[in-house]
Amino acid sequence: MSLTLATDATAPRQTWLEKLGPGHVILAVALVLYPLVASDFFLTQIGGYSLIFGMLALSLMMLAGYGGMVSLAQITVAGIAAYAIAILGNNNSNVLGFGWPWWLAAPFAVLAAAVASALIGWISVRTEGIYTIMITLAIATATYYFAQQNYAIFNGHSGYAGIHAPSFWGVNWRDPKAFYYLCLGFAVLSYAAILYGAHSTFGLTLQAIRDNPRRMRALGYDVTAHKVFAWFLAGIIAGLAGVLLVWFNGRVSPGTIGVDVAIDVLIIAVIGGLRHPIGPFLGALVVVLMQTFAIDIVGAERFNTLIGLVFLVIVFVSPDGILGLWGRIKPHLAQESLRSGP
Amino acid sequence: MRIHRRTLLALALATGLTAPSLALAADDTIKIGLLATFEGPFTVLGEDGERGAMTAVEEVGGKVAGKTIEIVKGSSDASPDSAVRAARKLVEQDGVKVLVGPLSGDEGLAVKDYAKTQPTVTFINGTSAAQDTTLRNPAENFFRFSTDGAQWMAGLGTYAFNDKGYKKVATVAEDYSFPYTQVFGFMAEFCKAGGKVPSKSWVPIGNKDYSSVIAAIPDDVDAIYVALGGADAVNFLTQYQQSGGTAPLIGGSITVDQTVLTSKGKLRDVLIGTPAAGPTADTNDSPSWTKFLEQYKKQPGAFPSPSLFAHGYYVNMKAALLGFEQVGGDVSDGGAKLRDALSKLSFDTPTGKVSLDKNRNAIADIFLTEVTEGADGNLLNKLVKVVSQVNQTLGIPEDEFMKLGAVNRDNPSCP
């Protein structure tokens, strides 16, 4: 019982709609109706891409926020799924490509990513804090160089090209609208799973382990097993993101899983906020918009400086990211409406 | 109240961004996308490419066919993913009908694949020089008025063997499609002349520590063929010199480019006398090159002499502008007329005549050079010989050339 108290303050009994909250309903309607106003570019390159990176950052948020394990290897896990799709399915790089149908390749890729994630977790759960970051960074870097220099499996620097999103049920899932809804579907699924999981027995145990591993061990919980299982679950989300990413790009190469991208994922999670699973998606949207449009604002030579400055300002103004910013503005808004009332 | 206003502002901004790209561009402007690397290890090269492209635009006073040219820039970090992402933004968001770029080999291969999905957009290469961008499985709407990396090597292998007397050469090159193409071009001639290449080292882009590579080079080689670009070339050459290496060098096209020659330090002693080949030569004294040199130098931050990236982007941008001129700036038919005009285009560049083959790849002059010290102390590529009108199959009949196989790390080989 004492564990329930440790979570976010939620009232014990609520109806489903109350539990969902007006914010979620408005957000869901807006996201579903988004294709009505957005161009194809905004659907895939901003919408889809943000959702994919949101999912990647979400898997990191789950590990870091609930488990206290900051990982830099989420893009590596996604990359394993992406490479698995390229290798098991079809590609036009004349290397491997076993031609499995998507319904076999995609679940297998996600499973492979989850198992790899569990392995990475198994290696890194013995460490804590900055050492977890270092060991996962080492894994990410090693995988990047391994992919870059291994020709038999990864086809080196060029990687794999010519990978197509599947067509089934009469829908070509690479079409902008279809692809956006595909990303949205999986993002919502992952988001809901995390929200639900955070209040499940496992989620609560994980948070308790984060707060006091020694006490949990004394109570008889297998701390390592719980943590490794959390890595496995995070790996499923990252793996799904990886499958979507390879369908989105139509290609995968070491550049996809580079160390800079691994750090991008961390930046997304941090500037979005780690307290609530919506944070990573907010962060992803901001980062993707910045990366796409900064060059139009300040020109080709200085745009990376602008991106860096914006991130600095966000973290400076609000250490817990955009979510924290909202938490700070909300009471002001409430007061404002009281004052300006009739 | 203040916060409300701010929220409204944010909302307005957000809707402005989400609205399908507003047709702000009037009919009297021509939008051209310019895709180059403004991030990562090739930033310096990308910036010089931009200078080259802008030289071509300024040469015509920023106007073509009576319309104002608007350049929209996109940036990649030399990885194929980022190049495709930037190309998508320029095409799908900014609505450019002609895109000039990208800069490096694998980027070119990726953008060619993307070009196939955008048949109404015309893609004109920047400086990317992988062979298979145009030779195998080309895209109908991808044009390359700059030559490929194997063509750039024309004459060098024979020169190294006959004139320099190098019989045994080790190669050090970056590990992706463009350096494969360069090594292929060099070895095609060098092996044919009777030379041997006992060891080939492939290093990742952005490598910092070359000690293991240097240790792996056999002691008994007559020279080292180096095909590295930008910061990688500077790092390797510095470390090779510091480790006491004395073997003479043979340069790939971008190894002894202005982007490397202008770097400070003791490198200069090592580099002087290095033979290389490429699409440009600094001491070319033809009037068209001198004229180009003057116009290039007006660009901010220009090198003493334009690098081959400035040259490549210049030639390709120039081709785009000439194409626009011929069709009166009209791309309303999905660019079909423009592409037709481009494929028949033949014009004089600062480095001689350029025309296209059936794969839309350039046939142009190649320059054999040697690094020397100029009068003002700058290092320069002295022109040794011009190999005129090199085609993509290096003068070998096409079916015979195709039998040599696709360029990769193991092809060709003559240990």
Side-chain angles (χ1 to χ4, degrees), chain B residues 31-277:
Chain B
K31 235 186 202 182
I32 301 178
L34 175 64
L35 171 59
T37 53
F38 298 120
E39 304 157 66
F42 292 164
T43 307
V44 183
L45 322 186
E47 286 170 358
D48 207 43
E50 184 192 346
R51 279 177 215 122
M54 295 317 284
T55 308
V57 173
E58 275 164 32
E59 204 176 79
V60 293
K63 273 183 183 297
V64 67
K67 300 180 181 184
T68 315
I69 301 165
E70 185 193 345
I71 300 287
V72 194
K73 287 172 201 162
S75 168
S76 72
D77 59 11
S79 78
D81 291 22
S82 70
V84 171
R85 236 177 2 252
R88 272 183 177 154
K89 193 227 162 203
L90 291 172
V91 170
E92 294 169 33
Q93 174 63 19
D94 299 322
V96 303
K97 290 292 166 206
V98 171
L99 187 148
V100 177
L103 180 126
S104 77
D106 279 342
E107 290 182 275
L109 292 170
V111 169
K112 171 195 78 171
D113 281 338
Y114 172 65
K116 290 180 183 169
T117 68
Q118 298 289 338
T120 63
V121 179
T122 306
F123 292 81
I124 303 176
N125 187 48
T127 52
S128 93
Q131 197 172 57
D132 283 348
T133 310
T134 51
L135 189 64
R136 289 176 183 83
N137 198 6
E140 292 295 321
N141 51 344
F142 191 101
F143 296 78
R144 178 153 67 187
F145 288 91
S146 50
T147 31
D148 82 16
Q151 289 173 279
W152 290 353
M153 290 287 96
L156 183 61
T158 324
Y159 181 75
F161 189 85
N162 291 338
D163 297 45
K164 286 278 181 181
Y166 303 146
K167 309 293 174 210
K168 234 179 176 183
V169 168
T171 71
V172 177
E174 280 148 341
D175 203 350
Y176 70 103
S177 55
F178 165 65
Y180 301 161
T181 308
Q182 286 247 286
V183 171
F184 176 97
F186 171 74
M187 284 176 65
E189 277 187 21
F190 184 69
C191 297
K192 204 172 169 188
K196 297 279 173 231
V197 178
S199 104
K200 286 190 267 186
S201 305
W202 303 107
V203 296
I205 297 183
N207 193 24
K208 301 284 183 293
D209 179 13
Y210 288 91
S211 49
S212 60
V213 175
I214 290 166
I217 296 171
D219 292 333
D220 61 342
V221 292
D222 301 322
I224 302 174
Y225 172 84
V226 187
L228 302 168
D232 288 351
V234 176
N235 283 340
F236 171 78
L237 295 173
T238 314
Q239 290 175 32
Y240 181 66
Q241 192 204 18
Q242 280 167 356
S243 73
T246 50
L249 302 172
I250 303 169
S253 302
I254 64 174
T255 311
V256 291
D257 194 64
Q258 280 298 322
T259 52
V260 174
L261 294 182
T262 47
S263 70
K264 303 278 180 286
K266 283 185 186 166
L267 271 187
R268 36 192 317 119
D269 312 333
V270 193
L271 283 170
I272 290 173
T274 302

Side-chain angles (χ1 to χ4, degrees), chain A residues 58-71 124-125 127-129 132 194 198 202-213 223 226-231 234 274:
Chain A
L58 180 69
S59 73
L60 170 60
M61 178 268 160
M62 171 194 164
L63 288 175
Y66 298 125
M69 301 171 280
V70 180
S71 157
S124 58
V125 287
T127 58
E128 263 179 30
T132 313
I194 297 267
F202 173 74
L204 295 174
T205 317
L206 190 66
Q207 290 167 60
I209 289 174
R210 169 197 66 193
D211 293 338
N212 198 335
V223 170
H226 273 82
K227 282 185 169 180
V228 171
F229 188 61
W231 274 87
L274 287 168

